[in-house]
């Protein structure tokens, strides 16, 4: 099918609203449109990832407090584990890892994600898709 409305032959335009992908006729007098789900990449990734924190022998009190937010064993144990590089990894699905990785990064805590994390923490579109609104200036194809 081309990029024309099947009813009036006007150009079709696509846009995103949340988890919906919409295609509608550009003619104000034509009611034709279609809606489908927009699969948000980070929510359909079912791989379990681990955030691994390396040994932090020079961890500051602020870093220890941030680390301890994830654990229940208290600052002295967190300090001991962090110094030896034995903090348990944070394991979760992609969207939970996204938020935890941002929290750690904002606190200046080094980490790595295993296996390779496909989402760029600096580019939210890689995880959540394009922002709401028109997807391009080009007419949509359906």
């Amino acid at each position: 099918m081309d990029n024309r409305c099947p009813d009036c032959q006007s150009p079709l335009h696509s846009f995103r609203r949340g988890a919906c992908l919409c295609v509608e006729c550009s003619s104000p007098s034509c009611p034709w449109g279609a809606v489908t789900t927009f699969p948000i990449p980070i929510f359909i990734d079912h791989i379990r990832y681990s955030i691994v924190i390396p040994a932090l022998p020079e961890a500051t009190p602020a870093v220890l407090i941030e680390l301890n937010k994830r654990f229940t064993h208290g600052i002295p144990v967190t300090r001991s584990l962090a110094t030896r590089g034995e903090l348990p990894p944070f394991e979760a699905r992609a969207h939970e890892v996204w938020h935890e990785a941002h929290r750690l990064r904002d606190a200046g805590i080094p980490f790595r994600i295993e296996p390779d994390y496909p989402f760029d923490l600096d580019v939210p579109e890689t995880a959540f898709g394009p922002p709401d609104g028109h997807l391009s200036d080009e007419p949509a194809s359906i």
Side-chain angles (χ1 to χ4, degrees):
M1 181 175 210
D2 63 14
N3 292 333
R4 300 274 173 198
C5 174
D7 289 352
C8 73
Q9 297 304 305
S10 295
L12 295 174
H13 296 285
S14 61
F15 57 95
R16 178 177 170 202
R17 251 188 222 138
C20 296
L21 177 62
C22 309
V23 179
E24 66 181 13
C25 179
S26 61
S27 171
S29 61
C30 181
W32 190 91
V35 178
T36 189
T37 55
F38 179 88
I40 299 172
I42 201 164
F43 293 125
I44 60 173
D45 183 341
H46 297 291
I47 296 172
R48 289 198 58 88
Y49 296 93
S50 297
I51 294 179
V52 179
I53 299 170
L56 302 171
E58 305 296 321
T60 65
V63 164
L64 293 171
I65 289 169
E66 273 305 310
L67 286 173
N68 202 58
K69 288 179 181 178
R70 181 54 64 193
F71 306 109
T72 58
H73 42 58
I75 296 288
V77 174
T78 298
R79 179 185 300 116
S80 175
L81 294 172
T83 301
R84 295 189 318 251
E86 296 176 1
L87 285 168
F90 173 76
E91 296 177 345
R93 289 185 41 197
H95 67 282
E96 296 166 305
V97 165
W98 173 273
H99 295 292
E100 183 67 8
H102 277 277
R103 186 182 75 76
L104 292 171
R105 190 170 72 173
D106 291 347
I109 300 170
F111 63 88
R112 69 180 183 277
I113 302 173
E114 298 174 349
D116 288 337
Y117 195 62
F119 308 108
D120 185 335
L121 296 174
D122 294 317
V123 183
E125 291 80 12
T126 64
F128 301 99
D132 283 359
H134 288 282
L135 294 178
S136 73
D137 292 335
E138 299 296 317
S141 61
I142 59 170

